[in-house]
Structures are given as structure tokens and as C-alpha cells.
Amino acid sequence: MFPPQPRKKGKRPPKSARTRGRRRHQDKLGLIAIILAISVVLGLGIWWIVSAATSGINPKELNFTSDMSYHATEDSIYYISEQKLSCVDYANNEKWTLELPLSGASVKASGSLVAIFSDSVVVVYSNTGEQLFTKEFYGKIANVSCGQDYVAVMNEDTSGTSKIVMLNKKGEEVTTYDFSGKFIVDFAFTSANAFYIYTIDSGAVVPVACVMSYNGDLANTGNIAIEGQLLQRVIFLKDTLYMVGTNHLMQMDYIGTKQSEKLIYGWEFADSYVDKNENTRILFIPGGEDAGQKNISNVRYVEPGGKDLFVQMPSSTIKASLGRDKFYAFTPTMIRTYNADGTATGDYEVPITAEKYEPLPSKQHALLFAQDKVYIITLP
């Protein structure tokens, strides 16, 4: 007998045809499994995109028409219909309804007060519908603005002179701002009781826009005059403000010292948003294109001191606005979303052909107008 031979290292014996066939079969199964997995992922991705583009816009019809007086706050909508004042939330749930003591009234509101007014009478309610007071004015009531504890009434006398009368919750006149020789363009509460008035000096050769600001105690905190251009909007922050002029976007302090300036000639203010940290975003459209029927071809998105982007809008865009962390393009049949870099992030089909949109103060909802009907939608 021969002694056992040591095993030699080197090549293994060749695999049989059956072994090779089994390995090829296993490889094919693995490849098929990978292809199926990729197909499932792609299918889910396509489904998600299609789903996002066709869902999420669910219009709810409101109980008033486009020709009626209404006013929206952060969480409620007040409207006048059939001699009644009603309050609904953004889900169209009715909070309360009451009979009005006067006809032909308009409505303005804040988070805590609601005012209805005719040419000579203003009636003020709490946000729960409790009547607080009724006050009659001589001359004409041109407009009203509500704060947390005050109601400002713009009153025009028979000579055409305008003044702002400030009323407390009891209907007492707290103070009056008289502007002889000046035209009051706008007035509003900028926070709880802080207030501003924007006037134009009608007697000046060159237009002079004046902005007067008042704190919560109604004490004057600033008087700023801008020559050579009118103002489209004033955005108030704690220590600074942005004056959106017809020529420039100006950052100023309350004394009137200019801190920065950006040319915006040819651009019209469309919307703004200031977050809790006072980060400010402003949206512009080409001048004259916010008529509700004309197409908005592009927008200019500005973060003062930062981004200044020009973004093309989809065809037939009739409205553009800012959300809390995005901005929107509205067409009659679709809403497109954009992120803060100007990149389109989604298209959402609108099931009703819209004639007009009105974004609401929540920055998460909008009114949709179609064939004299008014709907509320939640924005994507």
C-alpha cells in the first residue's frame, strides 16, 4: 500500500455544468429581485408625486358672495349677509350670528374686536359677539381699523378735512389725530395696540409721504418723511421698519435714519411675512400685473440683507403670495409651491376654476372666488 499523499494546494477541480447552471439561475433571481425593488420604489415615488399634485385642495363654500362685506383675522372670518353679522372659523364652522341694528354696513375686525359701520354710525362688538357700544359721527365715516383695545375711525367733515378718532372699548374718545392739508392714505394697527398713519402732503411740489407711528399707549414713536416717491407698504418690526416705496425698498429706524436701500423700481408689492424672530420676506410682482385677470409672468423674492431672486411663474398665474416657509403661484386650475430658493416643489390641482384668490392672514389659507361664490381652501 502506498502511504497517503499530501493534498496539493492550487486550483480546485472544475465545477460541474449543473453547479454552474444553478449559480446562473440564482444570479438571475437576484437581478429580478433588484429590478422589482427599484420598480416598487419608482412606483411609490410616482404615486406620491401624482397624489401630491391632485390632492390637498378641497374648497369649502362660504355663506356669502363676493359683493358682500367681509374681513378675515388670524383664525376667523366675519361677514355681513341678509342684515346679519356672522363669524366662522377657517374650517367654515359657525361661531355665532347676530342681527344688525343698521343697514348697508361694512365690517372690520381684529383678534379681539369687531366693528360694523355705515356712513355715520359705528357699532363695536367683542370677538364673541357681545355688543360693546354704538357711536354716531358727524360728517362721513370713511374707514375703520380695530386693535386689541381700541377702534380707530377715519372721519371726514363737510369741508373734506380728515381726522382719526381713537375710541376705547366703552366708545369714549381717547385721542384725535387731525391732519389739515394732508391726505390720509392708510392707517392701521401694526400689533396689539401699536398704530400708524400714512399721509401725503398735498400742498408740496414734490410728493412727501409721511409715516407717523404710535406705541400701545398711543404715544408718538416716530415721524418719517420720504420725498420723491410714494409708499406701497410699511412693514413694522421692533426696532426697525421697511418702507416699500415706488422706487426703493428702504430699511430705517424709527427716527428716520436710513440703514439700507434696494432699487425696486418697476416692481409692485405683492406680499410680506415676518416670523417670530423678525426674519422678513417680501414678494414683488411686475408693476401693474395684480389686476386679477392678467398673467403674472415672474416674481421677485427678497430677504432683506440676503436673497434677491427672480422666479418665473407658470402660465396663467393670477396671484402670488407668501406662506410661512414657501411661496405660491395661483392659476385658475392649479397652485404651485416654491421653496425659499425659488425651486418649484409641487403642483396641486384646483377642482374649481378660480377667477380670483385672496390669501388670508394665517398664511395657510386663501379665499377662492368663482362665479360670485366664495370658497375657503387650505394651502399645501
Side-chain angles (χ1 to χ4, degrees):
M1 295 181 64
F2 296 99
Q5 301 296 315
R7 181 176 293 176
K8 295 181 180 179
K9 295 182 179 180
K11 295 182 178 180
R12 293 182 178 179
K15 296 180 180 179
S16 66
R18 177 179 293 181
T19 301
R20 290 195 299 270
R22 187 165 54 248
R23 176 58 60 84
R24 285 197 297 269
H25 180 67
Q26 291 173 345
D27 291 343
K28 287 181 180 179
L29 289 177
L31 181 60
I32 291 172
I34 292 172
I35 292 173
L36 287 174
I38 293 173
S39 299
V40 170
V41 172
L42 290 175
L44 287 173
I46 293 171
W47 173 86
W48 182 85
I49 293 172
V50 172
S51 176
T54 57
S55 64
I57 306 300
N58 180 28
K60 296 180 179 180
E61 186 176 351
L62 300 174
N63 294 323
F64 64 94
T65 57
S66 57
D67 60 340
M68 295 178 181
S69 180
Y70 63 90
H71 190 94
T73 64
E74 288 283 348
D75 58 8
S76 301
I77 301 173
Y78 300 88
Y79 64 90
I80 295 175
S81 176
E82 298 179 350
Q83 200 63 24
K84 294 180 180 180
L85 173 64
S86 297
C87 175
V88 297
D89 63 19
Y90 277 7
N92 197 25
N93 298 312
E94 184 177 290
K95 294 183 176 181
W96 48 264
T97 296
L98 53 83
E99 296 282 345
L100 291 183
L102 65 160
S103 60
S106 300
V107 60
K108 290 293 178 71
S110 66
S112 60
L113 297 175
V114 187
I116 63 164
F117 60 99
S118 62
D119 284 347
S120 59
V121 178
V122 60
V123 184
V124 175
Y125 302 87
S126 71
N127 62 359
T128 59
E130 176 191 0
Q131 183 171 332
L132 301 179
F133 67 85
T134 299
K135 188 171 182 64
E136 186 172 358
F137 284 81
Y138 296 103
K140 180 183 178 181
I141 298 175
N143 207 348
V144 170
S145 182
C146 296
Q148 179 174 298
D149 299 304
Y150 300 104
V151 174
V153 179
M154 180 176 171
N155 183 215
E156 296 178 351
D157 62 24
T158 53
S159 67
T161 301
S162 298
K163 61 183 178 182
I164 304 294
V165 180
M166 196 70 72
L167 308 173
N168 63 18
K169 289 183 177 181
K170 297 179 181 179
E172 300 167 335
E173 295 188 12
V174 179
T175 188
T176 298
Y177 307 101
D178 202 337
F179 298 98
S180 300
K182 293 185 178 181
F183 177 72
I184 299 176
V185 180
D186 191 24
F187 64 101
F189 289 90
T190 58
S191 60
N193 290 318
F195 185 73
Y196 91 101
I197 303 171
Y198 165 33
T199 67
I200 294 177
D201 188 347
S202 57
V205 176
V206 178
V208 179
C210 298
V211 173
M212 289 138 288
S213 56
Y214 305 86
N215 62 19
D217 295 324
L218 305 183
N220 181 253
T221 56
N223 294 285
I224 301 174
I226 305 294
E227 294 187 3
Q229 61 181 313
L230 303 178
L231 297 176
Q232 302 184 58
R233 187 62 58 96
V234 184
I235 303 169
F236 292 85
L237 307 182
K238 182 179 179 181
D239 299 315
T240 188
L241 48 80
Y242 291 101
M243 315 282 276
V244 184
T246 50
N247 299 334
H248 295 91
L249 169 63
M250 298 160 284
Q251 182 181 4
M252 294 184 168
D253 61 22
Y254 280 83
I255 300 174
T257 304
K258 189 181 297 182
Q259 299 170 340
S260 66
E261 185 177 74
K262 181 185 292 290
L263 182 66
I264 56 168
Y265 179 78
W267 291 93
E268 180 179 324
F269 174 88
D271 201 6
S272 65
Y273 178 66
V274 181
D275 67 19
K276 61 182 181 180
N277 296 319
E278 295 199 337
N279 296 311
T280 304
R281 299 153 56 220
I282 307 174
L283 195 68
F284 297 92
I285 60 175
E289 293 194 24
D290 197 25
Q293 296 296 330
K294 298 180 181 179
N295 293 343
I296 298 173
S297 55
N298 55 87
V299 299
R300 185 175 179 181
Y301 172 79
V302 175
E303 295 178 2
K307 296 176 182 176
D308 190 348
L309 307 177
F310 299 84
V311 182
Q312 185 174 356
M313 296 285 96
S315 175
S316 303
T317 296
I318 59 175
K319 188 70 177 178
S321 74
L322 289 170
R324 295 183 177 181
D325 58 358
K326 63 188 75 174
F327 60 93
Y328 301 95
F330 298 85
T331 79
T333 57
M334 181 264 289
I335 298 174
R336 177 170 292 175
T337 57
Y338 297 83
N339 62 22
D341 293 321
T343 302
T345 55
D347 291 343
Y348 300 82
E349 182 181 348
V350 178
I352 299 172
T353 301
E355 299 167 2
K356 189 177 84 168
Y357 295 92
E358 182 180 320
L360 295 176
S362 69
K363 296 296 183 182
Q364 297 175 309
H365 302 82
L367 297 181
L368 183 157
F369 299 81
Q371 298 181 346
D372 292 329
K373 294 181 178 180
V374 184
Y375 303 83
I376 188 168
I377 58 175
T378 299
L379 297 176

